[in-house]
mmCIF file of all heavy atoms in Angstrom:
data_model
loop_
_atom_site.group_PDB
_atom_site.id
_atom_site.type_symbol
_atom_site.label_atom_id
_atom_site.label_comp_id
_atom_site.label_asym_id
_atom_site.label_seq_id
_atom_site.Cartn_x
_atom_site.Cartn_y
_atom_site.Cartn_z
ATOM 1 N N LEU A 93 104.687 78.100 92.139
ATOM 2 C CA LEU A 93 103.459 78.823 92.204
ATOM 3 C C LEU A 93 103.381 79.601 93.515
ATOM 4 O O LEU A 93 102.878 80.736 93.578
ATOM 5 C CB LEU A 93 102.263 77.910 92.064
ATOM 6 C CG LEU A 93 100.916 78.623 92.182
ATOM 7 C CD1 LEU A 93 100.719 79.729 91.138
ATOM 8 C CD2 LEU A 93 99.782 77.542 91.926
ATOM 9 N N GLN A 94 103.845 79.031 94.609
ATOM 10 C CA GLN A 94 103.827 79.694 95.904
ATOM 11 C C GLN A 94 104.691 81.020 95.842
ATOM 12 O O GLN A 94 104.199 82.043 96.399
ATOM 13 C CB GLN A 94 104.382 78.774 97.041
ATOM 14 C CG GLN A 94 103.408 77.599 97.351
ATOM 15 C CD GLN A 94 104.033 76.634 98.265
ATOM 16 O OE1 GLN A 94 105.235 76.242 98.143
ATOM 17 N NE2 GLN A 94 103.294 76.213 99.325
ATOM 18 N N ARG A 95 105.764 80.896 95.187
ATOM 19 C CA ARG A 95 106.658 82.155 95.080
ATOM 20 C C ARG A 95 105.939 83.174 94.198
ATOM 21 O O ARG A 95 105.887 84.392 94.491
ATOM 22 C CB ARG A 95 107.987 81.806 94.486
ATOM 23 C CG ARG A 95 108.936 81.045 95.422
ATOM 24 C CD ARG A 95 110.336 80.987 94.918
ATOM 25 N NE ARG A 95 110.429 80.312 93.603
ATOM 26 C CZ ARG A 95 110.623 78.996 93.500
ATOM 27 N NH1 ARG A 95 110.771 78.214 94.564
ATOM 28 N NH2 ARG A 95 110.679 78.429 92.261
ATOM 29 N N ALA A 96 105.321 82.702 93.112
ATOM 30 C CA ALA A 96 104.640 83.643 92.205
ATOM 31 C C ALA A 96 103.434 84.306 92.883
ATOM 32 O O ALA A 96 103.139 85.463 92.653
ATOM 33 C CB ALA A 96 104.255 82.887 90.887
ATOM 34 N N LEU A 97 102.715 83.480 93.648
ATOM 35 C CA LEU A 97 101.529 84.051 94.364
ATOM 36 C C LEU A 97 101.959 85.040 95.388
ATOM 37 O O LEU A 97 101.352 86.116 95.558
ATOM 38 C CB LEU A 97 100.745 82.880 95.031
ATOM 39 C CG LEU A 97 99.820 82.115 94.117
ATOM 40 C CD1 LEU A 97 99.349 80.837 94.730
ATOM 41 C CD2 LEU A 97 98.652 82.983 93.647
ATOM 42 N N ALA A 98 103.045 84.772 96.128
ATOM 43 C CA ALA A 98 103.514 85.758 97.129
ATOM 44 C C ALA A 98 103.891 87.028 96.493
ATOM 45 O O ALA A 98 103.522 88.140 96.961
ATOM 46 C CB ALA A 98 104.749 85.133 97.882
ATOM 47 N N SER A 99 104.597 86.966 95.341
ATOM 48 C CA SER A 99 104.961 88.212 94.636
ATOM 49 C C SER A 99 103.749 88.904 94.113
ATOM 50 O O SER A 99 103.611 90.136 94.205
ATOM 51 C CB SER A 99 105.908 87.851 93.423
ATOM 52 O OG SER A 99 106.163 88.967 92.639
ATOM 53 N N PHE A 100 102.729 88.218 93.585
ATOM 54 C CA PHE A 100 101.484 88.785 93.059
ATOM 55 C C PHE A 100 100.745 89.483 94.192
ATOM 56 O O PHE A 100 100.250 90.631 94.069
ATOM 57 C CB PHE A 100 100.620 87.718 92.431
ATOM 58 C CG PHE A 100 99.293 88.206 92.014
ATOM 59 C CD1 PHE A 100 99.156 88.941 90.831
ATOM 60 C CD2 PHE A 100 98.155 87.875 92.692
ATOM 61 C CE1 PHE A 100 97.848 89.368 90.441
ATOM 62 C CE2 PHE A 100 96.908 88.288 92.347
ATOM 63 C CZ PHE A 100 96.815 89.058 91.123
ATOM 64 N N LEU A 101 100.558 88.789 95.336
ATOM 65 C CA LEU A 101 99.861 89.416 96.483
ATOM 66 C C LEU A 101 100.591 90.647 96.994
ATOM 67 O O LEU A 101 99.959 91.708 97.362
ATOM 68 C CB LEU A 101 99.723 88.398 97.539
ATOM 69 C CG LEU A 101 98.832 87.224 97.250
ATOM 70 C CD1 LEU A 101 98.897 86.202 98.418
ATOM 71 C CD2 LEU A 101 97.406 87.577 97.084
ATOM 72 N N ASN A 102 101.921 90.655 96.982
ATOM 73 C CA ASN A 102 102.687 91.809 97.438
ATOM 74 C C ASN A 102 102.511 92.971 96.451
ATOM 75 O O ASN A 102 102.463 94.157 96.862
ATOM 76 C CB ASN A 102 104.182 91.452 97.538
ATOM 77 C CG ASN A 102 104.433 90.613 98.792
ATOM 78 O OD1 ASN A 102 103.823 90.784 99.842
ATOM 79 N ND2 ASN A 102 105.357 89.660 98.754
ATOM 80 N N ARG A 103 102.319 92.675 95.214
ATOM 81 C CA ARG A 103 102.207 93.711 94.227
ATOM 82 C C ARG A 103 100.734 94.254 94.162
ATOM 83 O O ARG A 103 100.532 95.539 94.044
ATOM 84 C CB ARG A 103 102.537 93.279 92.782
ATOM 85 C CG ARG A 103 103.985 93.113 92.537
ATOM 86 C CD ARG A 103 104.298 93.067 91.000
ATOM 87 N NE ARG A 103 103.327 92.249 90.242
ATOM 88 C CZ ARG A 103 102.582 92.745 89.247
ATOM 89 N NH1 ARG A 103 102.573 93.980 88.920
ATOM 90 N NH2 ARG A 103 101.837 91.887 88.555
ATOM 91 N N LYS A 104 99.781 93.398 94.282
ATOM 92 C CA LYS A 104 98.366 93.777 93.944
ATOM 93 C C LYS A 104 97.484 93.965 95.208
ATOM 94 O O LYS A 104 96.443 94.599 95.115
ATOM 95 C CB LYS A 104 97.736 92.687 93.043
ATOM 96 C CG LYS A 104 98.362 92.657 91.651
ATOM 97 C CD LYS A 104 98.151 93.943 90.863
ATOM 98 C CE LYS A 104 98.629 93.840 89.427
ATOM 99 N NZ LYS A 104 98.343 95.131 88.690
ATOM 100 N N PHE A 105 97.875 93.364 96.311
ATOM 101 C CA PHE A 105 97.010 93.406 97.514
ATOM 102 C C PHE A 105 97.561 94.390 98.625
ATOM 103 O O PHE A 105 96.952 94.601 99.562
ATOM 104 C CB PHE A 105 96.848 92.054 98.096
ATOM 105 C CG PHE A 105 95.898 91.145 97.319
ATOM 106 C CD1 PHE A 105 96.143 90.877 96.018
ATOM 107 C CD2 PHE A 105 94.814 90.500 97.924
ATOM 108 C CE1 PHE A 105 95.313 90.028 95.295
ATOM 109 C CE2 PHE A 105 94.000 89.671 97.230
ATOM 110 C CZ PHE A 105 94.259 89.417 95.892
ATOM 111 N N SER A 106 98.721 94.962 98.323
ATOM 112 C CA SER A 106 99.358 95.949 99.224
ATOM 113 C C SER A 106 99.345 95.583 100.675
ATOM 114 O O SER A 106 98.876 96.281 101.571
ATOM 115 C CB SER A 106 98.581 97.357 99.079
ATOM 116 O OG SER A 106 98.577 97.731 97.747
ATOM 117 N N PRO A 107 99.948 94.357 101.017
ATOM 118 C CA PRO A 107 99.873 93.908 102.386
ATOM 119 C C PRO A 107 100.784 94.781 103.277
ATOM 120 O O PRO A 107 101.837 95.291 102.871
ATOM 121 C CB PRO A 107 100.496 92.482 102.322
ATOM 122 C CG PRO A 107 101.317 92.526 101.068
ATOM 123 C CD PRO A 107 100.637 93.450 100.121
ATOM 124 N N VAL A 111 104.004 89.289 102.082
ATOM 125 C CA VAL A 111 103.575 87.873 102.014
ATOM 126 C C VAL A 111 104.733 86.992 101.723
ATOM 127 O O VAL A 111 105.478 87.282 100.781
ATOM 128 C CB VAL A 111 102.466 87.731 101.029
ATOM 129 C CG1 VAL A 111 102.126 86.283 100.743
ATOM 130 C CG2 VAL A 111 101.173 88.461 101.404
ATOM 131 N N ILE A 116 101.611 80.256 102.246
ATOM 132 C CA ILE A 116 100.536 79.918 101.285
ATOM 133 C C ILE A 116 100.456 78.434 101.035
ATOM 134 O O ILE A 116 101.494 77.720 100.902
ATOM 135 C CB ILE A 116 100.991 80.620 99.915
ATOM 136 C CG1 ILE A 116 100.842 82.148 100.022
ATOM 137 C CG2 ILE A 116 100.047 80.079 98.781
ATOM 138 C CD1 ILE A 116 101.393 82.853 98.809
ATOM 139 N N GLU A 242 88.740 86.585 99.008
ATOM 140 C CA GLU A 242 89.042 87.754 98.143
ATOM 141 C C GLU A 242 89.187 87.372 96.657
ATOM 142 O O GLU A 242 89.997 87.939 95.939
ATOM 143 C CB GLU A 242 90.226 88.569 98.666
ATOM 144 C CG GLU A 242 89.996 89.014 100.143
ATOM 145 C CD GLU A 242 91.118 89.836 100.694
ATOM 146 O OE1 GLU A 242 92.202 90.051 99.988
ATOM 147 O OE2 GLU A 242 91.020 90.269 101.843
ATOM 148 N N ILE A 243 88.376 86.368 96.259
ATOM 149 C CA ILE A 243 88.560 85.782 94.933
ATOM 150 C C ILE A 243 88.211 86.796 93.802
ATOM 151 O O ILE A 243 88.642 86.540 92.655
ATOM 152 C CB ILE A 243 87.747 84.457 94.813
ATOM 153 C CG1 ILE A 243 88.206 83.630 93.628
ATOM 154 C CG2 ILE A 243 86.215 84.743 94.743
ATOM 155 C CD1 ILE A 243 87.634 82.279 93.609
ATOM 156 N N ALA A 245 89.096 89.985 93.878
ATOM 157 C CA ALA A 245 89.836 91.180 94.238
ATOM 158 C C ALA A 245 90.221 92.078 93.023
ATOM 159 O O ALA A 245 90.188 93.282 93.194
ATOM 160 C CB ALA A 245 91.078 90.744 94.996
ATOM 161 N N GLN A 246 90.524 91.481 91.916
ATOM 162 C CA GLN A 246 91.021 92.268 90.785
ATOM 163 C C GLN A 246 89.888 92.450 89.718
ATOM 164 O O GLN A 246 90.185 93.009 88.648
ATOM 165 C CB GLN A 246 92.208 91.623 90.148
ATOM 166 C CG GLN A 246 93.393 91.470 91.120
ATOM 167 C CD GLN A 246 93.881 92.754 91.707
ATOM 168 O OE1 GLN A 246 94.152 93.700 90.942
ATOM 169 N NE2 GLN A 246 94.050 92.814 92.987
ATOM 170 N N TYR A 279 92.158 83.093 97.973
ATOM 171 C CA TYR A 279 92.167 83.625 96.592
ATOM 172 C C TYR A 279 92.279 82.484 95.602
ATOM 173 O O TYR A 279 92.562 81.343 96.000
ATOM 174 C CB TYR A 279 93.355 84.593 96.459
ATOM 175 C CG TYR A 279 93.370 85.327 95.154
ATOM 176 C CD1 TYR A 279 92.399 86.248 94.817
ATOM 177 C CD2 TYR A 279 94.365 85.140 94.188
ATOM 178 C CE1 TYR A 279 92.382 86.977 93.645
ATOM 179 C CE2 TYR A 279 94.382 85.772 92.955
ATOM 180 C CZ TYR A 279 93.388 86.758 92.680
ATOM 181 O OH TYR A 279 93.364 87.371 91.478
ATOM 182 N N GLY A 280 91.999 82.764 94.335
ATOM 183 C CA GLY A 280 92.035 81.716 93.324
ATOM 184 C C GLY A 280 92.102 82.254 91.919
ATOM 185 O O GLY A 280 92.053 83.451 91.707
ATOM 186 N N ALA A 281 92.332 81.363 90.994
ATOM 187 C CA ALA A 281 92.496 81.725 89.545
ATOM 188 C C ALA A 281 91.173 81.879 88.792
ATOM 189 O O ALA A 281 91.112 82.412 87.726
ATOM 190 C CB ALA A 281 93.391 80.709 88.862
ATOM 191 N N ASP A 284 89.325 86.262 88.590
ATOM 192 C CA ASP A 284 90.113 87.340 87.974
ATOM 193 C C ASP A 284 90.895 86.916 86.773
ATOM 194 O O ASP A 284 91.185 87.703 85.860
ATOM 195 C CB ASP A 284 91.151 87.864 89.061
ATOM 196 C CG ASP A 284 90.503 88.579 90.216
ATOM 197 O OD1 ASP A 284 89.316 88.931 90.076
ATOM 198 O OD2 ASP A 284 91.165 88.780 91.225
ATOM 199 N N PHE A 285 91.211 85.594 86.661
ATOM 200 C CA PHE A 285 91.938 85.056 85.607
ATOM 201 C C PHE A 285 91.116 84.272 84.599
ATOM 202 O O PHE A 285 91.647 83.581 83.750
ATOM 203 C CB PHE A 285 93.162 84.266 86.083
ATOM 204 C CG PHE A 285 94.255 85.131 86.670
ATOM 205 C CD1 PHE A 285 94.228 85.489 88.013
ATOM 206 C CD2 PHE A 285 95.274 85.668 85.872
ATOM 207 C CE1 PHE A 285 95.179 86.311 88.576
ATOM 208 C CE2 PHE A 285 96.257 86.511 86.423
ATOM 209 C CZ PHE A 285 96.191 86.787 87.817
ATOM 210 N N MET A 294 94.089 79.183 96.792
ATOM 211 C CA MET A 294 95.155 79.260 97.809
ATOM 212 C C MET A 294 94.599 79.885 99.080
ATOM 213 O O MET A 294 93.585 80.559 99.048
ATOM 214 C CB MET A 294 96.264 80.114 97.269
ATOM 215 C CG MET A 294 95.899 81.503 96.800
ATOM 216 S SD MET A 294 97.018 82.859 97.345
ATOM 217 C CE MET A 294 96.437 83.131 99.015
ATOM 218 N N TRP A 323 99.524 78.745 85.919
ATOM 219 C CA TRP A 323 99.173 79.978 86.613
ATOM 220 C C TRP A 323 100.414 80.729 87.079
ATOM 221 O O TRP A 323 100.518 81.938 86.924
ATOM 222 C CB TRP A 323 98.276 79.731 87.820
ATOM 223 C CG TRP A 323 97.586 80.893 88.429
ATOM 224 C CD1 TRP A 323 97.421 82.080 87.785
ATOM 225 C CD2 TRP A 323 96.993 81.035 89.718
ATOM 226 N NE1 TRP A 323 96.704 82.985 88.587
ATOM 227 C CE2 TRP A 323 96.442 82.328 89.774
ATOM 228 C CE3 TRP A 323 96.867 80.175 90.765
ATOM 229 C CZ2 TRP A 323 95.823 82.737 90.951
ATOM 230 C CZ3 TRP A 323 96.161 80.584 91.945
ATOM 231 C CH2 TRP A 323 95.683 81.874 91.981
ATOM 232 N N ALA A 324 101.441 79.965 87.484
ATOM 233 C CA ALA A 324 102.681 80.538 87.914
ATOM 234 C C ALA A 324 103.345 81.296 86.763
ATOM 235 O O ALA A 324 103.836 82.391 86.908
ATOM 236 C CB ALA A 324 103.655 79.449 88.415
ATOM 237 N N MET A 326 101.814 82.819 84.307
ATOM 238 C CA MET A 326 101.086 84.062 84.124
ATOM 239 C C MET A 326 101.519 85.101 85.168
ATOM 240 O O MET A 326 101.742 86.237 84.771
ATOM 241 C CB MET A 326 99.541 83.796 84.233
ATOM 242 C CG MET A 326 98.929 82.924 83.217
ATOM 243 S SD MET A 326 97.143 82.792 83.586
ATOM 244 C CE MET A 326 96.780 81.324 82.664
ATOM 245 N N LEU A 327 101.553 84.648 86.430
ATOM 246 C CA LEU A 327 101.861 85.569 87.488
ATOM 247 C C LEU A 327 103.291 86.096 87.375
ATOM 248 O O LEU A 327 103.622 87.235 87.743
ATOM 249 C CB LEU A 327 101.672 84.943 88.815
ATOM 250 C CG LEU A 327 100.206 84.497 89.145
ATOM 251 C CD1 LEU A 327 100.141 83.676 90.425
ATOM 252 C CD2 LEU A 327 99.234 85.624 89.134
ATOM 253 N N GLU A 328 104.233 85.280 86.924
ATOM 254 C CA GLU A 328 105.600 85.653 86.787
ATOM 255 C C GLU A 328 105.865 86.746 85.655
ATOM 256 O O GLU A 328 106.735 87.579 85.837
ATOM 257 C CB GLU A 328 106.466 84.457 86.504
ATOM 258 C CG GLU A 328 106.599 83.455 87.632
ATOM 259 C CD GLU A 328 107.154 82.119 87.230
ATOM 260 O OE1 GLU A 328 107.186 81.825 86.014
ATOM 261 O OE2 GLU A 328 107.530 81.325 88.123
ATOM 262 N N ASP A 329 104.929 86.678 84.709
ATOM 263 C CA ASP A 329 104.991 87.670 83.588
ATOM 264 C C ASP A 329 104.189 88.864 84.057
ATOM 265 O O ASP A 329 102.984 88.985 83.743
ATOM 266 C CB ASP A 329 104.449 87.046 82.314
ATOM 267 C CG ASP A 329 104.729 87.977 81.087
ATOM 268 O OD1 ASP A 329 104.909 89.152 81.265
ATOM 269 O OD2 ASP A 329 104.665 87.426 79.930
ATOM 270 N N THR A 330 104.837 89.797 84.751
ATOM 271 C CA THR A 330 104.096 90.869 85.384
ATOM 272 C C THR A 330 103.448 91.821 84.370
ATOM 273 O O THR A 330 102.362 92.345 84.574
ATOM 274 C CB THR A 330 104.908 91.682 86.426
ATOM 275 O OG1 THR A 330 106.115 92.120 85.677
ATOM 276 C CG2 THR A 330 105.407 90.771 87.513
ATOM 277 N N THR A 333 100.355 90.017 83.145
ATOM 278 C CA THR A 333 99.324 90.061 84.134
ATOM 279 C C THR A 333 98.674 91.427 84.310
ATOM 280 O O THR A 333 97.447 91.529 84.368
ATOM 281 C CB THR A 333 99.904 89.638 85.531
ATOM 282 O OG1 THR A 333 100.454 88.337 85.413
ATOM 283 C CG2 THR A 333 98.882 89.681 86.606
ATOM 284 N N ASP A 334 99.464 92.473 84.277
ATOM 285 C CA ASP A 334 98.888 93.819 84.467
ATOM 286 C C ASP A 334 98.023 94.158 83.266
ATOM 287 O O ASP A 334 96.949 94.751 83.437
ATOM 288 C CB ASP A 334 100.062 94.867 84.587
ATOM 289 C CG ASP A 334 100.792 94.723 85.931
ATOM 290 O OD1 ASP A 334 100.261 94.012 86.805
ATOM 291 O OD2 ASP A 334 101.915 95.352 86.026
ATOM 292 N N PHE A 336 96.516 92.027 81.204
ATOM 293 C CA PHE A 336 95.373 91.146 81.266
ATOM 294 C C PHE A 336 94.286 91.603 82.221
ATOM 295 O O PHE A 336 93.104 91.758 81.896
ATOM 296 C CB PHE A 336 95.815 89.771 81.642
ATOM 297 C CG PHE A 336 94.704 88.743 81.742
ATOM 298 C CD1 PHE A 336 94.391 87.949 80.569
ATOM 299 C CD2 PHE A 336 93.944 88.521 82.857
ATOM 300 C CE1 PHE A 336 93.384 86.976 80.620
ATOM 301 C CE2 PHE A 336 92.928 87.624 82.924
ATOM 302 C CZ PHE A 336 92.647 86.808 81.830
ATOM 303 N N LEU A 337 94.726 91.940 83.477
ATOM 304 C CA LEU A 337 93.759 92.378 84.510
ATOM 305 C C LEU A 337 93.116 93.777 84.115
ATOM 306 O O LEU A 337 91.927 93.989 84.346
ATOM 307 C CB LEU A 337 94.413 92.482 85.842
ATOM 308 C CG LEU A 337 94.899 91.142 86.388
ATOM 309 C CD1 LEU A 337 95.690 91.405 87.727
ATOM 310 C CD2 LEU A 337 93.704 90.203 86.714
ATOM 311 N N ARG A 341 89.112 94.293 83.437
ATOM 312 C CA ARG A 341 88.265 95.333 84.101
ATOM 313 C C ARG A 341 87.479 96.167 83.104
ATOM 314 O O ARG A 341 86.380 96.524 83.319
ATOM 315 C CB ARG A 341 89.138 96.203 84.983
ATOM 316 C CG ARG A 341 89.607 95.455 86.251
ATOM 317 C CD ARG A 341 90.286 96.481 87.265
ATOM 318 N NE ARG A 341 91.598 96.976 86.740
ATOM 319 C CZ ARG A 341 92.769 96.363 87.026
ATOM 320 N NH1 ARG A 341 92.734 95.321 87.825
ATOM 321 N NH2 ARG A 341 93.886 96.831 86.567
#
Side-chain angles (χ1 to χ4, degrees):
L93 180 55
Q94 289 171 317
R95 290 192 298 270
L97 281 166
S99 177
F100 175 76
L101 293 174
N102 285 325
R103 284 200 316 120
K104 295 295 187 181
F105 286 55
S106 304
V111 170
I116 291 172
E242 301 182 359
I243 196 168
Q246 302 299 312
Y279 186 65
D284 292 344
F285 288 87
M294 55 136 281
W323 195 19
M326 295 181 201
L327 298 175
E328 289 165 348
D329 190 338
T330 56
T333 298
D334 291 346
F336 180 94
L337 294 175
R341 287 191 288 267

